[in-house]
Amino acid sequence: MNLLAIDTSNQTMGVAVLRENQISGEIMTNIKKNHSIRLMPAVEELMREISMTPEELNKIVVAKGPGSYTGVRIGLTTAKTMAWALNIPVVGVSSLETLTYQAQFFPGYICPFFDARRGRVFAGIYQWDRNKPVPVFEEANMPMEDLLNKLVEEQKDVLFLSPDIGLHKEMIKEKLGVLAQIPEEVYHLARPSHLALAGMTRKAEETHLLEPNYLRLAEAEANWLKQKKENGQNG
Amino acid sequence: MGEFKMKKDTIILGIETSCDETAAAVVKNGTEIISNVVASQIESHKRFGGVVPEIASRHHVEQMTVVLEDAINEADVAWDEIDAIAVTEGPGLVGALLVGVNAAKALAFAKQKPLIGVHHIAGHIYANRLEKEFAFPLLALIVSGGHTELILMKEHGHYELIGQTRDDAAGEAYDKVARMLKLPYPGGPQIDRLAAKGSANIHFPRAWLEDDSFDFSFSGLKSAVINKMHNAAQRGETLEPADIAASFQESVIEVLTAKTYRAAAMYEVKQVIVAGGVAANRGLRDKLKQQFINTAIPLHFPALNLCTDNAAMIAAAGTILYEQGRRDGLDLNASAKLTLK
Ligand SMILES: [Zn+2]
C-alpha cells in the first residue's frame, strides 16, 4: 500500500509517505509558521524526492485533532479533497492517539494532551496492548486539575506526552509525584510516520463524512445551546 | 492515436468559501456556466443573528467535497477537460477562505492542474460576464455586506478603484438598520421588502462628501436612523417601520445611483454593471434603471443567484487570469484583506 499521512493539527507539521507499507520518507517541522502555506509544498517535495505521483497513492491518513481548529481544518480539507479527487480512502486518526506511538513500549498509562487554555487540556488516557494503543478513558476537554485528580485515584504509572508539557509539568509532578513519567523533549512531538502506521490498517470512513475531532463546541454554539436550555427551563 | 486534437474551450473549476456559502462551479470560456453549486449556511447562522466565523469554517469543511462532487457530476466533464482550478484567495473571513484555498491546492496537486487565486470582488464583477459580454471602459458598482466600491475597468483583469466607502459598507448599514427594526437575519432583503410597503416620508441625510468624490459613507445615516427612532420613542410616538425602511433605503439608493451615474458620465463608459449581494435589492435596481434608461449606456445586473456569493463568478474571473498566464504556487495562502489590482 502507498500511503500519505498529513498532520497539521498542532504546531508540528508532518507529512509522511509509505511505499509498499514501508516508510519512504517524512518531513516534520516544529516551528511557528503557517501550515496553510507550507503543507502542499511539503507534500509535493516529499513525493518528488521519493518519485511517487499522486495517482500512485492508495490511501490518505490525516490527524483529525484535537488541536488548533484552523490547523485541523487545513489538514482535513487537504486530505479529504485529495482522497475524493484520487478516489481513494481517507482515514482520520486522533492527534492524541498518534502521540501514544512515542511510548509504545511503556507498560503503564500513557497520557497524551494538548493545552486548551485557561487551565484546560484536550487529553486522553491510553494503554498499549501488544501492537495497538487502547483508550482507557474517552478523550475529553477538561481542566488539567480534574484529569490529574482522576489519575491520582488510579495509582498507576503515567507517562505524559505533550508539546505543551512545559506549561503543566509542575502541576503534574506536584499531584502525581513518582507516578508521573516525563520523557525528553523529542518524545513530545507527534511524528507523521507514526500517524501513517496508525492509519495503515484502519478502515476508511466515508470521505464526505470525515469530520474534525474538535472536542469542543464553537463558543457561539455553546452559548446558543445554554441560552436555549435556560429559556426552556423558564418557559 | 496520433490524431491532432484541437482544444478551443477553456474550462475552469471555481471554488468559493469566503463567507457563509460553500460553492463550486465549472465554467466554459469565462462566459458559460456548466454547473454552479452553492451550499448555503444561512439556516445555521440565523440562530446567531449573523455569520459566526468559526461556525462558517466548520460547515465549509463538512460541505467542501460534497459540493465539489456535485459540481463535477452536474457539469459532466472529465478531469482531462478541466484546464485549471480557480479559488477565492480573499478578501473574506480567513478561516472560511482557508478551506477553499486548501481544497483548491489539494485538487491542483492531485490532478496536476494549474492553480489560480482570485479576488472575491473580481469574481462579483465577472458574474456579469456569464450573462453579457463586457464592453470597455466599464464601470462596476460593487455593493455587498463587506463592500461599497466603484471600479473602472479599461480592459479585462484591470481594475481601477475610483470610489469606496469610508466607513460602513452599504450592506452593513442595511443589516444594522434591520436589527434596529428587529427584522430577522439576513436583514437586507427584509428591508427591501418592507420598504416597498412604506413611504419615504422621513428625512434622512445623504452623505455626498466632497463635490468631486466618488467615495461613500453610511455610518452617519445609520446614526440618523437610531436618533430618529430614539427621539420618536421619547415623545411617545411610533414611526411606521415600513416608512423607516423606505426612507433609509431611499437615502442609500439615491447616493449610490447619483455617484454611479456621475462616474459613468465622467469616464465615458460603455457599460455599467452592478454586483454583490445588494445588487439583488429591488429598490436599487429600479432606481438605477430609471437613471440610465434615457442614456446610451447599457446597465446590467446579474440574475439573483449570481448576485450572491457563488463559484461560477470565481471561475469566470479566473478564466481571464488563466488566459493572461497567471499561475499560483502551492504556497498560495488565504488573505482576509486583499486589495484588487
Ligand atoms: Zn461577496
Side-chain angles (χ1 to χ4, degrees):
Chain A
M1 185 193 296
N2 296 337
L3 182 152
L4 169 68
I6 289 171
D7 184 0
T8 55
S9 59
N10 288 279
Q11 187 176 294
T12 51
M13 185 191 83
V15 176
V17 177
L18 304 190
R19 186 194 287 280
E20 301 297 327
N21 296 340
Q22 301 288 310
I23 290 168
S24 271
E26 68 177 331
I27 293 177
M28 191 188 105
T29 58
N30 180 33
I31 50 177
K32 279 200 174 90
K33 272 192 180 174
N34 195 320
H35 291 337
S36 169
I37 296 175
R38 298 169 60 242
L39 175 62
M40 276 324 291
V43 171
E44 186 183 39
E45 188 196 329
L46 180 58
M47 302 262 305
R48 193 178 46 235
E49 284 293 339
I50 64 168
S51 306
M52 189 189 285
T53 62
E55 296 84 62
E56 289 177 77
L57 289 170
N58 310 116
K59 192 177 193 176
I60 295 181
V61 183
V62 62
K64 64 177 181 178
S68 133
Y69 296 163
T70 302
V72 168
R73 281 194 283 270
I74 289 166
L76 260 280
T77 302
T78 303
K80 286 176 72 170
T81 309
M82 278 189 77
W84 170 75
L86 297 167
N87 198 18
I88 57 174
V90 59
V91 167
V93 174
S94 154
S95 303
L96 292 169
E97 189 187 328
T98 304
L99 261 181
T100 69
Y101 280 71
Q102 302 274 46
Q104 58 176 297
F105 306 109
F106 183 77
Y109 281 179
I110 302 165
C111 175
F113 72 88
F114 301 119
D115 185 63
R117 274 174 279 192
R118 280 171 267 160
R120 301 183 74 91
V121 287
F122 296 119
I125 307 287
Y126 285 84
Q127 191 156 26
W128 268 75
D129 179 15
R130 278 182 291 271
N131 55 1
K132 64 173 193 298
V134 179
V136 179
F137 299 120
E138 206 178 315
E139 293 179 355
N141 160 18
M142 62 170 96
M144 185 52 148
E145 203 171 347
D146 293 359
L147 172 69
L148 294 174
N149 288 338
K150 201 168 181 172
L151 288 168
V152 168
E153 284 171 27
E154 298 281 318
Q155 282 298 308
K156 286 225 170 89
D157 285 328
V158 188
L159 183 94
F160 289 86
L161 296 171
S162 175
D164 307 312
I165 192 76
L167 296 170
H168 299 273
K169 214 176 197 163
E170 291 314 312
M171 200 204 265
I172 291 169
K173 282 183 180 162
E174 190 191 303
K175 290 254 179 198
L176 285 178
V178 291
L179 292 176
Q181 306 269 330
I182 297 175
E184 284 170 61
E185 197 196 337
V186 66
Y187 294 97
H188 295 287
L189 306 178
R191 296 194 56 154
S193 45
H194 282 149
L195 176 66
L197 293 177
M200 199 160 77
T201 53
R202 202 160 306 190
K203 214 174 147 264
E205 293 149 75
E206 164 67 44
T207 302
H208 294 318
L209 300 182
L210 179 60
E211 276 186 40
N213 178 26
Y214 293 114
L215 281 190
R216 181 152 63 190
L217 287 175
E219 203 179 313
E221 189 145 39
N223 292 340
W224 178 76
L225 286 171
K226 200 173 136 210
Q227 194 79 43
K228 215 175 123 182
K229 206 174 144 201
E230 281 170 9
N231 291 347
Q233 276 165 355
N234 298 339
Chain B
M1 284 292 277
E3 199 178 317
F4 183 69
K5 258 201 349 215
M6 192 124 101
K7 187 161 171 36
K8 299 191 299 270
D9 293 324
T10 299
I11 296 182
I12 305 290
L13 171 65
I15 296 173
E16 151 69 36
T17 61
S18 68
C19 189
D20 61 343
E21 326 271 3
T22 317
V26 179
V27 167
K28 191 198 269 187
N29 298 325
T31 55
E32 192 184 324
I33 296 174
I34 313 287
S35 69
N36 189 15
V37 177
V38 180
S40 173
Q41 306 175 358
I42 211 159
E43 284 305 320
S44 175
H45 293 287
K46 252 183 187 164
R47 60 196 155 139
F48 310 117
V51 176
V52 178
E54 173 61 23
I55 304 273
S57 305
R58 291 186 175 199
H59 288 314
H60 285 310
V61 178
E62 293 157 15
Q63 289 299 315
M64 193 71 251
T65 55
V66 178
V67 167
L68 281 167
E69 186 165 288
D70 287 350
I72 293 288
N73 288 348
E74 268 179 41
D76 197 22
V77 290
W79 280 103
D80 289 358
E81 299 172 75
I82 293 173
D83 293 288
I85 316 289
V87 62
T88 308
E89 58 174 315
L93 302 171
V94 71
L97 289 163
L98 277 172
V99 175
V101 167
N102 282 282
K105 294 201 287 186
L107 275 182
F109 175 68
K111 294 296 184 184
Q112 299 289 298
K113 302 284 181 190
L115 174 72
I116 298 163
V118 174
H119 192 284
H120 184 75
I121 294 305
H124 274 304
I125 294 172
Y126 273 86
N128 286 268
R129 196 170 174 243
L130 293 163
E131 296 181 332
K132 195 175 197 301
E133 187 52 89
F134 284 176
F136 300 111
L138 172 157
L139 180 71
L141 169 67
I142 317 298
V143 263
S144 72
H147 296 269
T148 309
E149 283 155 17
L150 275 169
I151 291 165
L152 181 69
M153 287 178 72
K154 290 179 180 145
E155 59 188 340
H156 278 301
H158 175 97
Y159 312 91
E160 198 179 313
L161 184 66
I162 60 169
Q164 63 186 317
T165 184
R166 292 181 186 172
D167 38 61
D168 294 350
E172 216 175 330
Y174 265 90
D175 285 341
K176 284 177 182 164
V177 171
R179 228 167 286 154
M180 284 181 238
L181 294 176
K182 306 210 160 46
L183 297 171
Y185 173 83
Q190 301 279 351
I191 291 205
D192 193 21
R193 227 167 287 145
L194 195 58
K197 293 183 207 148
S199 69
N201 53 16
I202 306 165
H203 179 76
F204 290 129
R206 273 79 170 139
W208 297 111
L209 306 174
E210 305 80 39
D211 282 350
D212 59 343
S213 173
F214 290 117
D215 281 351
F216 302 95
S217 166
F218 295 105
S219 70
L221 171 59
K222 180 191 67 193
S223 310
V225 175
I226 298 176
N227 290 338
K228 213 45 140 212
M229 287 174 69
H230 186 73
N231 292 341
Q234 278 195 330
R235 285 197 303 268
E237 299 167 11
T238 37
L239 296 171
E240 198 52 55
D243 294 344
I244 296 174
S247 306
F248 161 78
Q249 167 138 315
E250 193 183 73
S251 168
V252 174
I253 289 175
E254 194 177 311
V255 175
L256 289 175
T257 305
K259 294 212 175 198
T260 305
Y261 183 72
R262 191 157 54 80
M266 186 171 144
Y267 291 99
E268 296 176 351
V269 301
K270 296 231 165 58
Q271 192 179 12
V272 173
I273 63 175
V274 188
V278 185
N281 183 288
R282 246 178 320 157
L284 178 63
R285 287 182 174 234
D286 292 345
K287 181 83 177 179
L288 277 166
K289 275 181 203 155
Q290 271 174 35
Q291 185 72 263
F292 281 90
I293 199 155
N294 294 321
T295 68
I297 310 168
L299 172 71
H300 192 258
F301 296 91
L304 295 187
N305 70 322
L306 290 176
C307 286
T308 46
D309 291 350
N310 63 86
M313 69 186 201
I314 301 305
T319 305
I320 292 298
L321 294 170
Y322 175 77
E323 284 165 354
Q324 290 174 343
R326 160 88 175 265
R327 301 293 182 265
D328 284 301
L330 290 176
D331 59 351
L332 179 71
N333 198 18
S335 169
K337 288 188 169 45
L338 185 70
T339 45
L340 184 59
K341 277 178 267 183

